Amino acid sequence: MAAKQPADLIPNPFIKKRNLQWTLSPPHSPIPSSSSPQNAPSSPKSNTTTNNNKPSPPTTAAIESGKAHTTNPLAHFAAHLENHILPSPTPLLPIGSYASLYAGSLTSQSSHFVIHQHDHPIAGLHYDLRLQINPSSSVSWAIMYGPPGDPNSVRLNRNATETRIHSLWNHLIETASPQTGSLLIWDTGTYTVLPRRSKHAPRTDPSSQPSPEDEERSQQELLEAAFHSRKIRLQLHGSKLPETYVLNIRLTKREDAEGRAKSSRAPRSKRRRVKRADPETSSESDDVTDAADDEDEEGNTLAPKGREAGGQAVSALETELQELEDAEIRRTNAYPGASNTIGSIHQRKWYLSLDRKACGFQERLEGGKTVWQLPSTSASSASTSDTKGEKDAMQRLSFPFYVRGVEHERSVVTARTCEDVMRDEDVQGFVRRKGWLPVLN
């Protein structure tokens, strides 16, 4: 049987005759296809429209806050930071090394870390230590006064507050905005989890070899085990910190119990307006939750109901989706894109201190007082090295060192201070919270 011709088709009575006159044509593509001639002329009008409609790339602050996304964070931030490197002093970590370090840290065997200097308008100045826990995420602590660097300091310990689990690409961020303040990479590199032995345990034979099971375990697995035991002994291999820099991070049973109880409480939403999460902003203080009715539990400024901080209207659907996302963040203690595989609990209070013996210091008695010194240094040489460090902030730190805050500390990647980052990101109207004095004794 012969196929029917178009004339044999029965017309659809529900289609209006005037609609049969419509025709469709594919839109003009600004990128020539492989089948089209490379030198084919294009309409000037089409080029103008394409250029005018071309979306501008998202800002680093938008990506950091979760309002914008990029498919390749490494390429985006590497290109952005490369355009803002100061000519002097020379950064300690070149962009190529910065990119290679992160590119090799996307596996279950890698151990990436970053220390961010975060000058938040509400939470205040603090330093975020983030340690990789899986190929896509990192556990985070907010540390007041920065990492300790003087073995003889009267304030050797630091409070380290556990914050949300972050996406690993947050290790790349250096940005600023009026809402979240400035964020710069104070140091970055890899970490090694060191074995920890109780002082009551029997002495081990120095010639004994570690068990094959310990040698096969990755740093992420060792970190998880130490995290669950609430006692972490950690060596940081950065570009700025001394080469033999070892920290002890511990959580007491009391702080563990209080942190778990606090995390199980339902959020007090009655006295708050619409909660708008700022996914990559952390806080290190407890009193932020009660500071004002327009602040959320992490110290992020909340927008009035139905409006964003920028003044743009927010639809009811967007508000509902944001509230659901906030509830999911509180439930999992992880920001979108990150997974809490380590069992992190928000706002638990840990204690961080310098492991003086592991750093190479020896205990001595001088004038009836205990003094910790490196075997090859004395008090005079230590003060000389500190003065040398003040003259050139981009040299590797040596003991003793002091974290001096936003006016002195520089990015290890771009050599910028927080004021440089603010200027480069064109931030206007930022109000800094009254800061702390550095610990110099």
Side-chain angles (χ1 to χ4, degrees):
M1 180 177 178
K4 288 185 178 182
Q5 302 296 324
D8 299 329
L9 296 177
I10 300 174
N12 190 336
F14 297 101
I15 299 179
K16 297 179 181 181
K17 292 183 179 180
R18 65 174 180 270
N19 289 341
L20 296 175
Q21 301 175 358
W22 285 90
T23 59
L24 296 176
S25 59
H28 174 75
S29 176
I31 303 177
S33 62
S34 57
S35 60
S36 61
Q38 296 294 327
N39 297 326
S42 58
S43 169
K45 181 178 179 180
S46 299
N47 287 338
T48 303
T49 304
T50 302
N51 293 336
N52 292 340
N53 294 336
K54 183 178 180 180
S56 58
T59 64
T60 55
I63 297 174
E64 185 262 348
S65 65
K67 298 177 182 177
H69 301 276
T70 176
T71 57
N72 192 341
L74 175 58
H76 180 89
F77 285 103
H80 180 78
L81 296 183
E82 189 172 17
N83 292 330
H84 294 93
I85 296 176
L86 293 184
S88 177
T90 304
L92 285 171
L93 186 64
I95 286 292
S97 301
Y98 155 90
S100 299
L101 177 66
Y102 180 84
S105 299
L106 303 178
T107 70
S108 59
Q109 303 297 317
S110 51
S111 56
H112 198 282
F113 90 88
V114 69
I115 298 178
H116 273 128
Q117 177 184 275
H118 192 179
D119 188 15
H120 194 274
I122 297 175
L125 175 63
H126 58 277
Y127 291 79
D128 293 310
L129 170 63
R130 312 195 202 280
L131 306 175
Q132 182 178 10
I133 57 172
N134 59 53
S136 64
S137 315
S138 62
V139 66
S140 178
W141 289 271
I143 305 168
M144 186 68 76
Y145 304 107
D150 185 354
N152 297 302
S153 174
V154 296
R155 299 182 64 181
L156 188 66
N157 294 332
R158 299 284 188 272
N159 288 329
T161 303
E162 202 172 342
T163 60
R164 307 288 188 196
I165 296 294
H166 285 64
S167 296
L168 193 69
W169 58 262
N170 277 266
H171 292 203
L172 300 167
I173 289 178
E174 192 163 291
T175 185
S177 71
Q179 293 78 25
T180 61
S182 63
L183 195 73
L184 62 78
I185 301 173
W186 191 84
D187 200 3
T188 186
T190 60
Y191 68 84
T192 299
V193 179
L194 302 179
R196 186 184 183 278
R197 186 176 62 87
S198 172
K199 62 181 180 180
H200 304 292
R203 291 185 176 273
T204 57
D205 184 359
S207 61
S208 62
Q209 300 296 326
S211 64
E213 294 181 358
D214 290 339
E215 291 183 344
E216 293 177 358
R217 300 174 73 183
S218 67
Q219 293 302 316
Q220 294 177 23
E221 293 173 327
L222 294 174
L223 176 61
E224 182 174 1
F227 186 86
H228 289 161
S229 70
R230 308 192 314 275
K231 296 177 179 65
I232 305 172
R233 191 161 172 256
L234 198 72
Q235 183 171 4
L236 300 180
H237 313 281
S239 298
K240 177 183 292 187
L241 288 168
E243 295 181 357
T244 58
Y245 189 75
V246 181
L247 291 172
N248 286 320
I249 310 175
R250 63 184 180 89
L251 176 67
T252 65
K253 291 183 179 180
R254 175 183 174 184
E255 296 293 350
D256 183 21
E258 291 181 356
R260 291 177 183 275
K262 182 177 179 180
S263 67
S264 62
R265 299 172 192 163
R268 295 174 295 176
S269 57
K270 292 183 179 180
R271 61 190 295 266
R272 286 185 173 85
R273 304 168 188 171
V274 177
K275 290 181 70 63
R276 180 181 62 83
D278 196 349
E280 307 308 339
T281 300
S282 60
S283 167
E284 80 292 347
S285 59
D286 271 333
D287 56 357
V288 173
T289 56
D290 298 324
D293 288 350
D294 59 346
E295 297 167 14
D296 71 2
E297 62 182 7
E298 290 196 80
N300 305 323
T301 303
L302 302 178
K305 186 173 182 179
R307 298 189 66 84
E308 291 182 344
Q312 299 179 351
V314 179
S315 66
L317 177 60
E318 290 174 330
T319 301
E320 183 177 357
L321 292 176
Q322 186 65 64
E323 290 176 346
L324 291 174
E325 183 179 85
D326 293 348
E328 182 68 10
I329 292 174
R330 290 193 300 271
R331 186 185 70 83
T332 62
N333 192 38
Y335 291 123
S339 54
N340 187 1
T341 57
I342 203 170
S344 175
I345 296 177
H346 188 51
Q347 293 289 304
R348 281 193 302 188
K349 303 294 183 183
W350 295 61
Y351 298 95
L352 181 147
S353 62
L354 189 69
D355 192 325
R356 295 175 285 197
K357 288 186 177 180
C359 290
F361 291 96
Q362 295 181 352
E363 190 176 5
R364 299 177 182 176
L365 286 177
E366 290 187 1
K369 295 183 179 180
T370 300
V371 177
W372 293 84
Q373 291 183 352
L374 293 174
S376 59
T377 62
S378 61
S380 59
S381 61
S383 61
T384 303
S385 63
D386 182 55
T387 304
K388 182 180 179 181
E390 291 182 10
K391 294 180 179 178
D392 187 352
M394 296 314 293
Q395 288 185 353
R396 179 180 286 275
L397 296 173
S398 58
F399 293 111
F401 71 85
Y402 308 95
V403 179
R404 301 178 182 274
V406 293
E407 295 181 357
H408 300 87
E409 303 302 324
R410 294 181 178 271
S411 162
V412 72
V413 179
T414 61
R416 297 185 294 178
T417 65
C418 75
E419 294 296 337
D420 297 324
V421 178
M422 288 281 191
R423 182 195 65 245
D424 293 340
E425 299 296 330
D426 195 24
V427 173
Q428 305 291 334
F430 173 73
V431 179
R432 175 173 289 115
R433 178 177 174 176
K434 185 177 180 179
W436 39 259
L437 297 177
V439 178
L440 303 178
N441 60 347

